[in-house]
Amino acid sequence: MINKRVVSFSVIFMALVSLNVFAGVTDNPFRKSVKITEAYLPKAILTMWQSEHLIWRAQLFNSACEENTQAVKHAINAGFTLVNQVIIDQAIINHQLIDENAKLILQDSNKLYYQIFSRVYAYAYTERLRIIQQYHPEISADLCAHAKTISQQYPSDDLPIVPWQLTDQTEFKAWQADLFSMRVVNQHFVAAFIKRQQAFAHIIDAEIYAMMQQNEKAISAFSALSDSYQYNHLLMKEITQAYSEVKGKKLPDELWRASYAEAASLSATYAYKLATISALRQIRALYPELYQRIEAHTISYVKLQLSRLKMSKSQLNEAFNQHE
């Protein structure tokens, strides 16, 4: 029988999120906007989640069973208006918006990083549910019946997302590199992040399990890899390769500002961890007896990956050297 306890999204989220890539004060309006987005995105998502979490959860569960992502996209799109308004309101209250152009830039920044967070969150959540079904097929029929029921109870609205604002570059010639970089991130980041993440899923999973176990020593060991220059470098290489494959030319160094991808990486990493933990906690609420077995597995998995840490470091160095 399914136990419908509510899992605290906010507690996990606030424990994970702390973004700060664009350090220092700058006159660049795009970087100012990203700093504002970083500052208020956690609060904005939590505000949206308070009213929309049942819809998101229902559609994510159903997507894990039906492999139909359209309803999840609708949920993401519908959530942006509130997220955007919360951030803009906070910026106005704190006297960080000085003119209409700043507001337009901020909306684009909000949309970019909200979509990255949401798309990675959706991927990680549904992927975790699929993995659980793969290793515990005995619950699959019941879980998917539950998913179908709640997806019908909490349908997502088919609403268009607020459009991009800065479509005319002529007014922002001095900031063409920033516009270009944000567009590259929008087009290529999520796929590049997932591709890089999949190759090292064993380390990322072990780090997440260690976090859930509050195993500080293991967290430190795994984060030495996941926070490393080599691991970050692989992501940047995936982005540049994706751009080259689509455009048929190299990513131009004179226009590319990697700091926008670095900010996206922080947001996406937290989304991935948060979604994985949230999905596992939902399984704990739905199937407490099964979760005891999953929990035992996570403990042994952390020990296994600690014993293989040297091998994982070699794997990362090898991948890094292949990209050089």
Side-chain angles (χ1 to χ4, degrees):
M1 190 71 176
I2 288 176
N3 178 9
K4 298 183 179 179
R5 287 183 293 168
V6 176
V7 174
S8 174
F9 179 94
S10 59
V11 170
I12 311 169
F13 191 35
M14 296 310 293
L16 286 174
V17 175
S18 176
L19 306 179
N20 185 17
V21 169
F22 293 96
V25 177
T26 174
D27 290 329
N28 185 315
F30 290 89
R31 296 192 178 191
K32 282 183 177 179
S33 292
V34 173
K35 282 186 68 67
I36 293 172
T37 300
E38 291 175 345
Y40 304 125
L41 183 63
K43 176 183 176 65
I45 289 179
L46 286 178
T47 301
M48 180 272 292
W49 189 257
Q50 288 173 359
S51 62
E52 303 297 317
H53 68 278
L54 293 176
I55 295 173
W56 278 60
R57 186 181 299 156
Q59 300 310 325
L60 288 169
F61 262 76
N62 201 46
S63 179
C65 290
E66 299 291 336
E67 296 190 6
N68 180 359
T69 61
Q70 197 61 41
V72 174
K73 289 179 181 177
H74 292 163
I76 291 172
N77 290 352
F80 177 67
T81 299
L82 179 55
V83 167
N84 183 54
Q85 194 58 55
V86 170
I87 297 174
I88 289 176
D89 288 347
Q90 289 297 308
I92 292 172
I93 290 170
N94 292 289
H95 309 290
Q96 293 168 290
L97 284 182
I98 58 175
D99 56 38
E100 282 302 310
N101 276 341
K103 188 174 180 179
L104 295 178
I105 295 171
L106 180 57
Q107 178 170 303
D108 282 356
S109 174
N110 294 341
K111 182 175 177 178
L112 176 63
Y113 291 102
Y114 167 77
Q115 284 193 314
I116 286 170
F117 181 95
S118 300
R119 289 168 62 191
V120 171
Y121 184 93
Y123 164 78
Y125 199 106
T126 55
E127 182 67 13
R128 190 58 40 180
L129 292 178
R130 288 171 184 151
I131 289 171
I132 289 169
Q133 290 182 75
Q134 177 184 349
Y135 286 98
H136 303 281
E138 68 276 13
I139 71 163
S140 186
D142 182 66
L143 186 148
C144 289
H146 170 66
K148 184 175 182 179
T149 298
I150 61 175
S151 69
Q152 293 171 347
Q153 289 176 343
Y154 302 102
S156 56
D157 294 327
D158 183 6
L159 298 175
I161 195 166
V162 175
W164 297 100
Q165 295 298 307
L166 299 182
T167 56
D168 185 359
Q169 291 192 38
T170 58
E171 297 180 20
F172 300 94
K173 287 184 178 179
W175 317 112
Q176 284 188 5
D178 299 274
L179 277 165
F180 173 82
S181 298
M182 292 175 76
R183 285 171 177 157
V184 169
V185 169
N186 179 55
Q187 293 165 1
H188 301 296
F189 176 85
V190 172
F193 179 88
I194 291 172
K195 186 176 180 181
R196 189 278 311 264
Q197 203 87 340
Q198 287 173 335
F200 295 90
H202 55 293
I203 287 296
I204 306 306
D205 283 354
E207 183 179 355
I208 293 170
Y209 297 156
M211 291 170 62
M212 297 178 71
Q213 297 159 23
Q214 298 182 339
N215 185 336
E216 297 295 335
K217 185 176 180 180
I219 294 171
S220 178
F222 297 131
S223 64
L225 271 70
S226 64
D227 293 339
S228 67
Y229 170 78
Q230 291 94 328
Y231 193 62
N232 182 65
H233 182 76
L234 290 180
L235 175 59
M236 299 305 159
K237 285 295 185 181
E238 291 289 355
I239 294 171
T240 57
Q241 183 176 337
Y243 177 89
S244 297
E245 289 174 357
V246 170
K247 298 294 185 180
K249 59 183 179 181
K250 290 181 62 177
L251 187 65
D253 291 337
E254 67 275 12
L255 290 177
W256 174 236
R257 303 291 181 263
S259 51
Y260 288 97
E262 291 166 4
S265 181
L266 285 174
S267 182
T269 297
Y270 291 124
Y272 188 96
K273 292 176 180 178
L274 173 63
T276 301
I277 294 171
S278 296
L280 287 170
R281 291 192 174 183
Q282 278 301 304
I283 293 298
R284 182 177 66 184
L286 298 172
Y287 306 102
E289 292 184 3
L290 170 64
Y291 188 78
Q292 291 178 5
R293 291 156 51 195
I294 294 174
E295 190 173 33
H297 165 72
T298 65
I299 293 171
S300 62
Y301 193 84
V302 168
K303 292 179 180 178
L304 174 65
Q305 295 307 326
L306 284 173
S307 71
R308 295 179 173 177
L309 200 56
K310 188 176 291 186
M311 187 186 307
S312 296
K313 290 179 180 178
S314 297
Q315 177 194 358
L316 178 59
N317 288 330
E318 182 179 350
F320 174 78
N321 291 330
Q322 286 177 349
H323 278 270
E324 286 298 296

